[in-house]
Amino acid sequence: MIYIIIAIVLGIVMIVMSIIAIHHKNITLAILSAGGVSLVASILYLLLAAPDVALTEASIGSGLTTIIFFYVLNKIKKHKHVEE
Amino acid sequence: MEKIGIEQISLAFGFIILMLGLWGILSRKNIIKIVLSFTLFDTGLNIIIVAIGYLKNKTAPILDSAELQTDTASKIVDPLPQALVLTSIVIGLGVTSLLLVYALKLYKEKKSLFINDYKDLKW
Amino acid sequence: MLKNSLILILILGFAAIMLSLFLSYTPSEDLKGVSKHYAEYGKEEVGAANLVSAVVVTYRGFDTLGEVTILFLTASVIGFFLKVNHSKDDENTAVKKYSEILGTSAKILIPLMVLLGVYVFINGHLTPGGGFQGGAIIASAFVLMFIALPQRKISHKVLSAVESFSGLSYVLIGVLGIILAAGFLDNQILSLGTFGSVLSAGAIPLIYILIGLKVGTELTGIISNLKELQNEQ
């Protein structure tokens, strides 16, 4: 029973975070919340008895994807700065 | 109430996140936002596949105790969807980074991240 | 406006399909078909305590080879797009002053993170984890190095040498499986050993070490390409 409540809370957090990721104007916040969706999803995988998938999602989906997004965003911002 | 388990809840949330990702892919104008929506779509799809492989009251497919090693098939959840999702997450990283580098290349060409500025194939 | 309503109609149609899939879903009670075979005979046939590793490396080893190939292709396409002039990046890398605390703690943390990555992929057949996760952890250690210690350089020659070596050895182990055992990527070219010890499960630890090295160097290569692009101007 407690697991069901935890899963519902995690799911609501994920939905709120993905709405922020899609609709927020500030793109840094959007990227961070998309990383947060992956991180919360990895806890959900743990509840679904899949520790392997949880480890992969936490290290790859949440960590490296966010870092690559930030590198590309930083590069685009720097480009814009040089233009102006 | 007793019919609803953790797998149905995860399945429902996975479907919702998948729909949100699809909405983002179709409606956003910023290319970075479109790539972000692709990662959300990925996450939702992976949650659905793992939730389908879950069986009630069974443990993870790691045989680290002696009692799990006898009569294994009735005690563990399905290992096959988990292996497929493992593959899918790693390929998702590759696809995302490739999309982002394309976006960077497009930005260098046209100095714009907005999808409405790319009209080369429109007539 | 018309476009948005079209998108909405499309999403609603998709949602109807998803809803009918969700309502018709009945949770199954037992393993069926090929999963049942994996669960029942995985211990005798493969000898890995982590059944997910057994499926990824041995039963579906060919898929994993394809996955590694896709990652390699991605890394090479990114390297092709982000052509960087390696010869001149010595002079124009502005050595920024980073915080002392970040630099010092990174010097302690990076070896520990690499050690954790190696632990995760060596024990991939016993505990949760494996080559992909371990490789990603090693790549994160290098990302920390790129951020905290920007004056350190990483040699692209070493990266590509390790990557080609591990990719080639992976295929060679697969071919050895045809010659010595039942088929391509069969893990019984080495003895299965005692169940649950580190040196068991035939070739799985070996293959996971190679996958870990390959994934780690590939992801490090992607990120270091992006980073050198940043120093360009």
Side-chain angles (χ1 to χ4, degrees):
Chain A
M1 193 61 208
I2 185 86
Y3 289 131
I4 292 178
I5 296 167
I6 293 175
I8 290 174
V9 172
L10 291 180
I12 290 168
V13 170
M14 273 199 294
I15 289 174
V16 171
M17 275 179 157
S18 41
I19 289 173
I20 291 174
I22 292 172
H23 281 281
H24 205 281
K25 283 252 186 318
N26 184 350
I27 207 142
T28 312
L29 192 61
I31 293 171
L32 279 180
S33 17
V37 173
S38 284
L39 204 59
V40 178
S42 77
I43 306 174
L44 193 61
Y45 291 140
L46 212 56
L47 293 185
L48 287 170
D52 268 292
V53 184
L55 195 55
T56 317
E57 180 80 38
S59 62
I60 293 182
S62 173
L64 286 177
T65 310
T66 314
I67 295 232
I68 289 177
F69 265 107
F70 274 128
Y71 267 115
V72 171
L73 190 69
N74 201 0
K75 176 69 195 165
I76 286 173
K77 270 185 183 161
K78 207 176 258 182
H79 224 279
K80 211 176 261 175
H81 197 69
V82 170
E83 290 284 301
E84 283 161 4
Chain B
M1 189 62 201
E2 69 269 10
K3 266 188 73 181
I4 298 222
I6 190 167
E7 67 268 40
Q8 275 105 340
I9 292 167
S10 317
L11 205 59
F13 282 126
F15 280 138
I16 293 171
I17 289 171
L18 189 132
M19 304 303 299
L20 280 171
L22 189 63
W23 164 253
I25 291 170
L26 291 175
S27 73
R28 296 297 97 188
K29 301 279 186 269
N30 190 328
I31 294 180
I32 301 272
K33 282 282 179 94
I34 296 175
V35 182
L36 263 185
S37 311
F38 266 102
T39 62
L40 290 180
F41 194 93
D42 254 8
T43 310
L45 203 57
N46 292 340
I47 291 175
I48 292 171
I49 300 174
V50 173
I52 287 175
Y54 181 77
L55 304 172
K56 230 184 197 70
N57 299 327
K58 296 188 179 178
T59 61
I62 292 167
L63 315 177
D64 50 357
S65 63
E67 60 172 320
L68 270 179
Q69 286 167 20
T70 54
D71 191 21
T72 309
S74 64
K75 286 172 187 159
I76 60 168
V77 304
D78 200 342
L80 189 55
Q82 299 190 10
L84 296 181
V85 168
L86 216 69
T87 311
S88 149
I89 291 173
V90 178
I91 291 181
L93 173 70
V95 170
T96 308
S97 47
L98 200 54
L99 282 172
L100 279 172
V101 172
Y102 272 129
L104 190 58
K105 202 75 182 166
L106 283 177
Y107 182 79
K108 278 189 169 173
E109 291 287 318
K110 291 222 170 179
K111 310 290 174 224
S112 163
L113 271 181
F114 285 87
I115 198 87
N116 286 0
D117 291 344
Y118 294 90
K119 292 182 174 149
D120 298 325
L121 282 178
K122 227 173 185 176
W123 69 89
Chain C
M1 201 60 229
L2 174 73
K3 217 180 222 172
N4 261 346
S5 51
L6 276 180
I7 292 172
L8 212 58
I9 291 170
L10 189 71
I11 299 266
L12 284 179
F14 205 65
I17 299 171
M18 289 288 155
L19 193 67
S20 69
L21 275 180
F22 176 68
L23 291 178
S24 65
Y25 166 73
T26 46
S28 55
E29 296 292 317
D30 274 314
L31 296 178
K32 291 189 194 75
V34 73
S35 310
K36 192 170 182 187
H37 178 91
Y38 293 161
E40 273 177 356
Y41 302 104
K43 186 171 171 266
E44 288 83 32
E45 287 177 356
V46 180
N50 184 351
L51 278 180
V52 179
S53 291
V55 175
V56 167
V57 179
T58 302
Y59 287 120
R60 307 241 159 185
F62 201 62
D63 294 5
T64 308
L65 185 60
E67 176 186 1
V68 171
T69 313
I70 289 178
L71 209 59
F72 168 70
L73 280 178
T74 314
S76 21
V77 171
I78 287 173
F80 172 71
F81 268 143
L82 305 177
K83 258 182 282 173
V84 192
N85 201 347
H86 286 297
S87 59
K88 63 170 190 180
D89 66 6
D90 278 339
E91 59 232 46
N92 59 18
T93 307
V95 182
K96 286 187 206 154
K97 278 282 174 196
Y98 282 82
S99 112
E100 189 69 34
I101 298 173
L102 184 63
T104 313
S105 53
K107 273 178 200 158
I108 301 169
L109 271 177
I110 290 167
L112 287 178
M113 280 168 84
V114 174
L115 191 67
L116 176 69
V118 171
Y119 172 82
V120 165
F121 66 65
I122 284 182
N123 283 291
H125 57 300
L126 303 176
T127 53
F132 296 103
Q133 293 93 325
I137 292 171
I138 289 177
S140 339
F142 282 113
V143 170
L144 181 60
M145 192 184 92
F146 290 150
I147 292 171
L149 309 165
Q151 68 275 17
R152 295 269 174 96
K153 285 279 178 307
I154 191 153
S155 155
H156 276 268
K157 272 182 189 152
V158 174
L159 280 186
S160 54
V162 172
E163 189 185 332
S164 341
F165 167 76
S166 43
L168 198 65
S169 324
Y170 187 19
V171 177
L172 279 181
I173 287 176
V175 174
L176 271 183
I178 298 180
I179 300 168
L180 298 177
F184 191 64
L185 283 172
D186 194 341
N187 73 330
Q188 297 200 4
I189 54 175
L190 302 172
S191 74
L192 288 187
T194 47
F195 185 80
S197 63
V198 174
L199 289 176
S200 68
I204 287 186
L206 200 58
I207 292 176
Y208 254 167
I209 288 170
L210 294 175
I211 291 178
L213 288 177
K214 190 164 167 59
V215 171
T217 48
E218 264 161 12
L219 296 180
T220 311
I222 291 178
I223 290 168
S224 97
N225 271 334
L226 284 168
K227 180 216 165 209
E228 274 165 21
L229 193 73
Q230 220 153 44
N231 292 335
E232 210 177 48
Q233 294 171 353

